[in-house]
C-alpha cells in the first residue's frame, strides 16, 4: 500500500482517528486479523523491532506487515538507542509496505528502560534529538513517535514537544502518564491537550481509553485528532466499531456473551497452536482472558475460575460455563470496578498502552 492510499494524517471536521497500540506479544498478525473481524482501527502499529548492532528484522513481526490482509495501514515500530542501527533498520523496513516508521519513547518496563531505550530515553532529550534528526533524514515517508509525558516527571515535556516540531514528526501518540507512573496514576489529559496545542502534527490520545463513551470524552477534553487503544482492545475487540458508531451519533451496539465466546475461539485458533505445548497454550490464552474477564461478570467468578484452570480442557469448560449458559447476557462495555487484569507475563502488563 502506497503512502498516497493511506488515510490522511490530518485533522478534518468530523474525523477522529483510531489506532491499535503496539503491544509486545499481543499485536501480531493473528491478533490483527482477529480484531479485523470485529471492526478495524484506522491504523495498526507493530510490536517493536528491537534494534542493536547485531539486530535483523524479526521475521514474526515482519509478517504483520507483509501478510496483513486487514486493509489497514501498518506502522513499523522501532526501539533502541544506537543511531546507526536505527537508521539501518528504518531503511530496511522502508522496502516493505509500511505506512511509516514509529519510534518507541514510552515503554515503561524496567527491563527495557534500564537499557536506556523506550521510556528510558525521555531522561535525555539531547539523545532523543539526535535520534529523531537522523531518522528524519533517513526516512522518506512518515516518521511517527509514541511517547509518554516524561520519565519520572514532566520537566522535559515541552522540550520533547519542541523536538517533535523540529524533526518534522508526522504523528505523535501520547500516553498521558510518565514512565514511572506506568498504569497506576490518573491520566493527565490536560497535558495531552497542551501537546495538541504545541505540536504541528496530529496527536493521538492514549491512556485509559476504555470504551466509546470514554473515547468521546477524551477527544473533547484534549482536542486530539484521535485515540490510540491498547489493553481495552484486548478486552473488547468491538471498541473501534463502537467508537465509530458513537462519533456518528448512532447507538453503540451491545455484545452478547456468546459473541465473546466466539472471540475467544478465534484467539485460540492460531496456525501454530498444535505445535505449542499445552501449558504454553493455556498461559497464552490466560494473557487475553485476564482482560476479557473484566467485563464478563461483576462478581469476578469467571476471572477467578479462569486463573485456577490448569489444562486447556478446564479452561475451555470455564469459558463455556460462563459465556454460553446465558449467551444473550450482555458483555459490559466498561470493565467492572475492582476486577484487575494480572497477565501471566511481564511484557503485556508493562508494554501495553
Amino acid at each position: 500500500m502506497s503512502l498516497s492510499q493511506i488515510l490522511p494524517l490530518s485533522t478534518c471536521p468530523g474525523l477522529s482517528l483510531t489506532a491499535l497500540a503496539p503491544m509486545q506479544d499481543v499485536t501480531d498478525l493473528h491478533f490483527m486479523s482477529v480484531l479485523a473481524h470485529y471492526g478495524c482501527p484506522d491504523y495498526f502499529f507493530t510490536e517493536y523491532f528491537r534494534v542493536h548492532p547485531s539486530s535483523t528484522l524479526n521475521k514474526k513481526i515482519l509478517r504483520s506487515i507483509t501478510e496483513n490482509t486487514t486493509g489497514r495501514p501498518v506502522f513499523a515500530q522501532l526501539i533502541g538507542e544506537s543511531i546507526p542501527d536505527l537508521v539501518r533498520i528504518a531503511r530496511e523496513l522502508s522496502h516493505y509496505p509500511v505506512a511509516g516508521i514509529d519510534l518507541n519513547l514510552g515503554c515503561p518496563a524496567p527491563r527495557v528502560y534500564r537499557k536506556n531505550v523506550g521510556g528510558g530515553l525521555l531522561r535525555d532529550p539531547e539523545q532523543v534529538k539526535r535520534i529523531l534528526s537522523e531518522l528524519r533524514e533517513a526516512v522518506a515517508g512518515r516518521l511517527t513517535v509514541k511517547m509518554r509525558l516524561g520519565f519520572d516527571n514532566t520537566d522535559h515535556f515541552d522540550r520533547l514537544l519542541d523536538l517533535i516540531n523540529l524533526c518534522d514528526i508526522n504523528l505523535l501518540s501520547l500516553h498521558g502518564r510518565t514512565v514511572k507512573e506506568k498504569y497506576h496514576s490518573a491520566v493527565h489529559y490536560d497535558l495531552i491537550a497542551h501537546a495538541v496545542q504545541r505540536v504541528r502534527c496530529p496527536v493521538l490520545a492514549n491512556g485509559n481509553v476504555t470504551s466509546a463513551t470514554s473515547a468521546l470524552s477524551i477527544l473533547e477534553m484534549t482536542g486530539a485528532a484521535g485515540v490510540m487503544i491498547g489493553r481495552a482492545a484486548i478486552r473488547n475487540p468491538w471498541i473501534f466499531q463502537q467508537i465509530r458508531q458513537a462519533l456518528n451519533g448512532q447507538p453503540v451496539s451491545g455484545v452478547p456473551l456468546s459473541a465473546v465466546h466466539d472471540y475467544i475461539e478465534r484467539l485460540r485458533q492460531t496456525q501454530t497452536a498444535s505445535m505449542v505445548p499445552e501449558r504454553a497454550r493455556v498461559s497464552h490464552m490466560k494473557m487475553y482472558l485476564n482482560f476479557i474477564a473484566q467485563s464478563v461478570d461483576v462478581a469476578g467468578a469467571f476471572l477467578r475460575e479462569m486463573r485456577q484452570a490448569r489444562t486447556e480442557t478446564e479452561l475451555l469448560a470455564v469459558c463455556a460455563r460462563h459465556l454460553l449458559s446465558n449467551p444473550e447476557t450482555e458483555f459490559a462495555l466498561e470493565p467492572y470496578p475492582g476486577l484487575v487484569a494480572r497477565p501471566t507475563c511481564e511484557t503485556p502488563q508493562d508494554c501495553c498502552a
Side-chain angles (χ1 to χ4, degrees), residues 33 35 41 43 57 64 76 114 121 137 146 161 173 195 227 245-246 251 254 265 271 280 284 304 319 329 333:
S33 300
L35 200 65
Y43 303 110
L57 294 182
S64 63
R114 285 174 188 149
L121 280 169
E137 184 70 24
K146 184 177 191 304
L161 295 178
S173 305
V227 290
Q245 290 172 335
E265 279 297 300
Q271 292 179 341
H284 189 67
R304 289 192 300 274
C319 291
T329 300
L333 297 182

Side-chain angles (χ1 to χ4, degrees), residues 2-13 15-20 41-45 72-76 98-102 136 139-145 168-173 199-205 224-228:
S2 70
L3 291 174
S4 63
Q5 294 173 291
I6 294 171
L7 187 65
L9 286 177
S10 60
T11 54
C12 302
L15 173 64
S16 290
L17 306 174
T18 59
L20 177 67
D42 294 313
Y43 303 110
F44 285 110
F45 287 75
R72 292 295 199 265
V74 183
F75 288 80
V98 296
I101 302 298
D102 186 67
R136 180 69 282 174
V139 175
R142 289 191 173 90
L143 178 61
T144 67
V145 169
D168 197 23
I169 299 304
N170 300 111
L171 174 71
L172 172 63
S173 305
V199 301
R200 293 191 296 267
C201 68
V203 175
L204 297 182
V227 290
M228 173 176 273

Side-chain angles (χ1 to χ4, degrees), residues 155-171:
D155 291 352
H156 298 313
F157 187 47
D158 279 348
R159 171 64 174 147
L160 292 163
L161 295 178
D162 290 343
L163 292 178
I164 297 298
N165 286 333
L166 178 67
C167 298
D168 197 23
I169 299 304
N170 300 111
L171 174 71

Side-chain angles (χ1 to χ4, degrees), residues 30 265-274 276 284 288:
H30 178 62
E265 279 297 300
R266 288 179 185 275
L267 288 173
R268 191 171 69 89
Q269 293 169 3
T270 66
Q271 292 179 341
T272 58
S274 61
V276 177
H284 189 67
Y288 298 117

